[in-house]
């Protein structure tokens, strides 16, 4: 997997790659004999669909190879694969998505709408389990099952053991001080691992659990930028009797809180910009297209998917134009469903796209954009 759509949208570099693209969104659910048979037949079925769209043999072979079952994932589950010039560039499992019929596309740029809809608003986060002997940091993505990266800090058991040994007993101040210094050192190492992973992956949530004293030490040593996004769970998960299901539910609750705050914030931003002639808000299909043409859109908000509209994709700035337009004729690539062209233009103008639930946009509005600068002014004003 080389790219993921998140709250910041799709990686624009995908649209800048040359050559043909082939994408497939397919159901890879298991659990029944019929489902297993359907998954087994997928490579040949998708290969035929690609062949009918004049895909190259290299692209067909690469995509067929990637279509493997989603072992260990509860149904429904889909797989999204994008291939460019015989290379699998994106290969992701989408949990919870039911695909009724395989969706296969070939063209000069990738159709990443399904992936963006599934991933939009999701984010990377860390789960940390701290102990006095060290701890573990795990990197996850809120829309993806399983650990993406794992790092650990393991203190030296012999060092801790000798700090408690004779002369005297652990309760004596000298030996207790030595032991606590080891704990502080382990906490410092663990905090450094957290800060590094958080910074490299732009995490939006750090869930910290474990031994009471250890998690307090770790929390105190985190970088100032990461303390506000740290949520401490009053659970000692590094014990043999720890209930992992309770722990997982508590982590999911923190994730849901972040997602809920995001939607609430977007709703408030739309409401706040709806007055004063809404100079910083584009409402409706035509206004959003205009904003994207001017690279004025900061965040595109999609409540309805605009599947009944089409747009013309351009090979350079301004990246898109409406059907029937005679402007930029020398840049025209072709006409495609609006969701594909809108997503491409959003990525190529460094904007964000969010697929939002009902209630965020005003009644009767299916698409909107929060603007970088007010309408009827120049970017430099």
């Amino acid at each position: 997997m080389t790219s993921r759509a998140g709250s910041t949208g799709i990686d624009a570099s995908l649209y800048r790659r040359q050559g043909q693209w082939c994408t497939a969104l397919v159901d890879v659910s298991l659990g029944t004999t019929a489902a297993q048979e359907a998954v087994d037949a997928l490579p040949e079925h998708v290969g035929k669909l690609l062949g009918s769209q004049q895909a190259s043999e290299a692209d067909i072979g690469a995509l067929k190879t990637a279509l493997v079952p989603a072992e260990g994932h509860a149904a429904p589950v889909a797989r999204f694969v994008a291939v460019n010039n015989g290379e699998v560039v994106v290969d992701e499992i989408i949990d919870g998505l039911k695909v009724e019929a395989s969706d296969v596309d070939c063209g000069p740029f990738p159709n990443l709408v399904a992936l963006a809809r599934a991933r939009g608003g999701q984010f990377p986060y860390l789960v940390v389990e701290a102990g006095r002997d060290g701890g573990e940091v795990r990197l996850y993505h809120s829309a993806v099952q399983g650990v993406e990266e794992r790092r650990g800090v393991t203190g030296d058991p012999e060092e801790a053991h000798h700090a408690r040994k004779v002369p005297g007993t652990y309760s004596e101040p000298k030996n207790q001080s030595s032991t606590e210094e080891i704990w502080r050192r382990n906490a410092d190492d663990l905090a450094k691992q957290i800060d590094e992973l958080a910074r490299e992956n732009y995490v939006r949530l750090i869930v910290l659990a474990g031994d009471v004293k250890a998690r307090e030490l770790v929390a105190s040593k985190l970088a100032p930028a990461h303390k506000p996004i740290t949520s401490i769970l009053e659970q000692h998960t590094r014990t043999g009797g720890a209930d992992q299901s309770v722990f997982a539910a508590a982590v999911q609750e923190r994730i849901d809180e972040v997602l809920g705050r995001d939607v609430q914030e977007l709703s408030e931003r739309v409401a706040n910009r709806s007055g004063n002639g809404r100079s910083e808000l584009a409402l409706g299909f035509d206004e959003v297209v205009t904003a994207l043409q001017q690279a004025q859109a900061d965040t595109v908000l999609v409540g309805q998917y605009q599947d009944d509209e089409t747009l013309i994709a351009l090979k350079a700035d301004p990246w898109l134009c409406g059907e029937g337009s005679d402007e930029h004729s020398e840049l025209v690539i072709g006409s495609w469903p609006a969701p594909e062209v809108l997503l491409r233009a959003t990525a190529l103008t460094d904007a964000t796209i969010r697929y939002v639930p009902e209630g965020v946009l005003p009644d009767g509005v299916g698409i909107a954009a929060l603007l970088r600068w007010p309408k009827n002014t120049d970017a430099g004003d």
Side-chain angles (χ1 to χ4, degrees):
M1 189 270 308
T2 60
S3 177
R4 172 173 295 118
S7 60
T8 55
I10 292 287
D11 182 357
S13 68
L14 297 179
Y15 291 109
R16 299 185 188 279
R17 292 176 64 124
Q18 300 298 310
Q20 186 183 55
W21 280 87
C22 295
T23 60
L25 177 69
V26 298
D27 182 53
V28 288
S29 304
L30 297 176
T32 66
T33 301
Q36 181 68 61
E37 291 174 349
V39 171
D40 290 343
L42 264 180
E44 289 307 314
H45 173 63
V46 170
K48 290 179 180 179
L49 292 176
L50 291 171
S52 69
Q53 297 183 48
Q54 287 74 53
S56 70
E57 289 299 323
D59 286 347
I60 293 174
L63 211 153
K64 287 172 64 175
T65 301
L67 296 180
V68 297
E71 301 285 354
H73 292 256
V77 58
R79 183 181 290 276
F80 178 86
V81 181
V83 172
N84 174 239
N85 296 328
E87 176 190 355
V88 176
V89 180
V90 181
D91 181 3
E92 292 209 25
I93 291 293
I94 305 176
D95 291 294
L97 179 62
K98 177 61 177 176
V99 178
E100 298 295 343
S102 298
D103 185 1
V104 178
D105 276 330
C106 290
F109 61 87
N111 178 6
L112 303 174
V113 174
L115 188 61
R117 289 178 182 177
R119 297 287 187 248
Q122 303 296 325
F123 59 90
Y125 67 96
L126 300 178
V127 173
V128 184
E129 297 183 70
R132 301 186 186 191
D133 59 343
E136 184 178 59
V137 188
R138 299 188 297 276
L139 172 66
Y140 296 87
H141 193 277
S142 60
V144 181
Q145 182 173 305
V147 182
E148 292 197 4
E149 188 171 344
R150 190 189 307 264
R151 296 187 188 179
V153 172
T154 304
D156 186 345
E158 286 299 313
E159 185 180 31
H161 175 69
H162 285 296
R164 298 169 181 262
K165 287 179 66 174
V166 292
T169 63
Y170 170 67
S171 61
E172 292 183 3
K174 181 178 180 180
N175 290 330
Q176 183 172 346
S177 176
S178 297
T179 303
E180 289 179 349
E181 176 57 32
I182 295 168
W183 296 344
R184 283 192 290 270
R185 193 187 314 153
N186 290 337
D188 188 57
D189 289 344
L190 191 59
K192 288 177 180 177
Q193 295 281 8
I194 295 168
D195 284 336
E196 185 175 311
L197 272 174
R199 183 174 58 254
E200 290 175 352
N201 296 278
Y202 303 96
V203 304
R204 298 190 52 212
L205 172 67
I206 299 169
V207 180
L208 176 57
D211 174 84
V212 176
K213 180 65 174 178
R215 66 185 183 231
E216 288 177 353
L217 282 171
V218 171
S220 70
K221 294 176 180 292
L222 292 176
H226 298 145
K227 289 181 178 180
I229 63 172
T230 299
S231 178
I232 297 178
L233 294 184
E234 303 296 328
Q235 296 186 31
H236 190 351
T237 52
R238 289 173 65 83
T239 60
D243 190 332
Q244 293 302 313
S245 64
V246 172
F247 179 54
V251 172
Q252 186 60 51
E253 183 178 333
R254 302 304 191 275
I255 294 169
D256 292 341
E257 288 173 359
V258 174
L259 293 171
R261 285 197 301 269
D262 277 357
V263 172
Q264 181 62 31
E265 180 185 338
L266 288 171
S267 183
E268 291 173 358
R269 290 175 68 189
V270 170
N272 291 339
R273 298 190 186 193
S274 293
N276 298 321
R278 57 177 182 83
S279 63
E280 297 182 12
L281 179 67
L283 289 180
F285 187 78
D286 292 339
E287 288 190 19
V288 170
V289 169
T290 299
L292 286 169
Q293 287 177 317
Q294 299 172 355
Q296 189 179 11
D298 177 62
T299 305
V300 176
L301 307 173
V302 182
Q304 300 166 8
Y305 295 148
Q306 317 300 312
D307 290 326
D308 55 344
E309 300 278 0
T310 58
L311 286 168
I312 295 173
L314 306 177
K315 60 184 177 182
D317 181 60
W319 303 114
L320 78 168
C321 62
E323 290 285 6
S325 172
D326 55 3
E327 296 181 333
H328 312 294
S329 57
E330 74 285 0
L331 300 177
V332 170
I333 302 173
S335 178
W336 278 271
E340 299 176 38
V341 182
L342 287 168
L343 178 60
R344 176 176 177 267
T346 300
L348 288 169
T349 55
D350 296 321
T352 297
I353 194 163
R354 292 293 303 272
Y355 299 88
V356 296
E358 185 177 351
V360 174
L361 301 182
D363 289 344
V365 176
I367 188 169
L370 300 168
L371 304 180
R372 291 179 169 131
W373 62 88
K375 301 174 190 173
N376 303 320
T377 64
D378 294 328
D381 287 352

